[in-house]
Amino acid sequence: MIAILDLLLRGAGLGALAVTVALMARQYGSTVAGRLGIVFAAAIMAALFCPLVAHRWNAGPWGLPVYAACSSVAGLFWLFVRAWFDDAFRPRPLHWLAIGALTALHLWRGAGMHEHAGQVPDDDLAGALNALPFLLDLAFIVAALLRAGAGKADDLDEARRRFRDVMVRAIGGYMVLVTGLSIYLFYRQPAPLVDFLILVGTVFLIFGFLLMTARLQNRLFGDRLLGGPVRAESPPAPDAADEQLHAALLRCMNHDKGYRAPGLTITALAEKLGTPEYRLRRLINGRLGHRNFNDFVNGYRLAEARLRLADPEAARLPVLTIALDAGFQSIGPFNRAFKDDTGMTPVEYRRSKLGQSGAESEKT
């Protein structure tokens, strides 16, 4: 009976994931989050399919790639979470190298377990090496959860903020539980009921994820085409209080240079404006079209930095001073944000605007 239910549940999960992949490929295949979502969903499909491949290492041409795909789930979860909640995130070769190393370790462990099936290692070192891939899985999952929590304060979309709490923590917590069980049952033969309960939990989360993303696709994946803007949903008609808040916000940022405050948070800005935080979030997100508070503030900071870098009277002013005056707390984040915004480093930008005088100023 359990075997039949197992097969039905795997089929249902695979079907739901296939629908998810088709929807994301059709509507969001051009976005970073959409493409990573497709890859992550495909890895989950491989994880569901793995037990159906008899004798993983003796299943012809299918066994190895399927096992490799399901071995990368934790790393892809980490990458996908970063793209979910960071509109500017772009995977780098180093990210893929880390996931590839994790997958290779799982393949190495799987080969060793196949060759020495049922044998407990003779020494602690061999046991630790066999457990290493699962420990790295835990590291990737915990990193994803920390990332999801770290950016919550700057996230201006209330639905996406709730998604962080509900779905990401549910998926991440469940993955921690399953990985912990994998380590505990390392050299033990798990009862069929344990495998079945893990499958039930997996399929439950798959359908939960499918339902939530169906409702929140625009907010999770955005309509950001590569190199293009995010198109915010149409905001509700503003009332008098919203108009007053909008005017006060513009006055604070443009006239009072409120963005210059180092470490400015939306809580602090709401207190300065004398308004509830949720109203300010709604205004900046719904009316002004920003999904992230830090990006909203940095837009003002970078605009000031561009003006000063192009000003001949400020040609001898160090770039660090300009960055700190604009509200950045250190040179590293400023350089990264500036290059993402203009495609040039601050020094290159200054030289392009001031010519030889800008080049000479950098030497003094």
Side-chain angles (χ1 to χ4, degrees):
M1 184 63 181
I2 289 182
I4 296 176
L5 290 175
D6 181 282
L7 189 61
L8 291 175
L9 284 172
R10 290 186 192 278
L14 288 168
L17 286 169
V19 171
T20 302
V21 168
L23 290 175
M24 287 192 291
R26 179 180 178 181
Q27 299 182 19
Y28 302 101
S30 298
T31 68
V32 174
R35 290 200 298 268
L36 288 175
I38 292 170
V39 174
F40 179 57
I44 298 294
M45 293 177 73
L48 288 175
F49 192 69
C50 258
L52 302 180
V53 181
H55 305 296
R56 292 172 182 167
W57 298 94
N58 294 322
W62 295 102
L64 185 60
V66 170
Y67 186 51
C70 68
S71 298
S72 65
V73 166
L76 291 173
F77 175 67
W78 165 70
L79 211 57
F80 189 23
V81 165
R82 295 200 61 179
W84 263 344
F85 302 122
D86 184 352
D87 295 325
F89 174 74
R90 298 290 182 272
R92 299 178 181 179
L94 187 61
H95 296 145
W96 294 112
L97 182 62
I99 295 173
L102 173 67
T103 303
L105 280 172
H106 272 291
L107 292 175
W108 167 79
R109 184 204 65 86
M113 291 293 289
H114 174 73
E115 293 174 0
H116 306 285
Q119 300 179 20
V120 177
D122 296 331
D123 56 76
D124 293 337
L125 178 59
L129 290 175
N130 280 328
L132 180 60
F134 295 114
L135 295 176
L136 291 177
D137 282 343
L138 284 175
F140 274 110
I141 297 166
V142 171
L145 293 175
L146 291 175
R147 181 66 182 178
K152 182 180 177 182
D154 288 332
D155 198 338
L156 298 173
D157 192 306
E158 290 298 329
R160 195 167 69 162
R161 282 163 57 85
R162 289 194 297 271
F163 189 88
R164 291 176 187 265
D165 290 333
V166 179
M167 206 66 225
V168 173
R169 290 182 180 178
I171 294 174
Y174 179 74
M175 290 175 70
V176 169
L177 175 63
V178 172
T179 304
L181 279 174
S182 298
I183 295 174
Y184 175 74
L185 298 172
F186 204 63
Y187 294 109
R188 299 173 178 85
Q189 183 65 36
L193 182 60
V194 173
D195 286 336
F196 180 72
L197 291 176
I198 291 175
L199 174 62
V200 170
T202 302
V203 174
F204 177 80
L205 284 176
I206 288 171
F207 277 94
F209 177 79
L210 178 60
L211 290 175
M212 290 197 74
T213 52
R215 292 177 55 198
L216 304 175
Q217 277 184 357
N218 285 340
R219 293 176 178 180
L220 293 179
F221 300 104
D223 285 334
R224 176 189 289 274
L225 299 178
L226 292 180
V230 172
R231 296 192 293 272
E233 296 180 356
S234 299
D239 55 21
D242 287 335
E243 292 291 352
Q244 292 176 0
L245 178 58
H246 186 207
L249 175 62
L250 292 180
R251 184 169 56 253
C252 175
M253 301 302 281
N254 293 321
H255 182 268
D256 300 337
K257 310 296 183 184
Y259 58 85
R260 289 180 174 177
L264 180 66
T265 64
I266 192 167
T267 302
L269 184 57
E271 291 177 355
K272 183 178 180 65
L273 296 174
T275 187
E277 186 176 321
Y278 79 90
R279 291 186 68 92
L280 184 58
R281 288 184 184 277
R282 187 175 63 189
L283 172 69
I284 298 175
N285 176 237
R287 184 163 181 173
L288 302 182
H290 294 274
R291 283 155 53 96
N292 183 277
F293 178 73
N294 196 48
D295 291 342
F296 165 70
V297 175
N298 279 351
Y300 285 93
R301 292 170 174 167
L302 291 170
E304 176 178 320
R306 288 195 302 271
L307 286 174
R308 299 190 72 186
L309 288 169
D311 184 1
E313 295 185 2
R316 294 188 178 277
L317 200 62
V319 171
L320 176 60
T321 300
I322 292 175
L324 296 178
D325 287 348
F328 286 93
Q329 295 180 282
S330 63
I331 192 65
F334 170 67
N335 284 337
R336 289 191 294 272
F338 195 94
K339 188 164 186 179
D340 287 342
D341 182 58
T342 65
M344 293 183 283
T345 67
V347 172
E348 291 169 343
Y349 183 86
R350 171 179 265 175
R351 289 174 178 172
S352 72
K353 296 297 182 181
L354 301 181
Q356 185 62 29
S357 62
E360 292 175 354
S361 69
E362 293 301 325
K363 298 177 182 178
T364 61

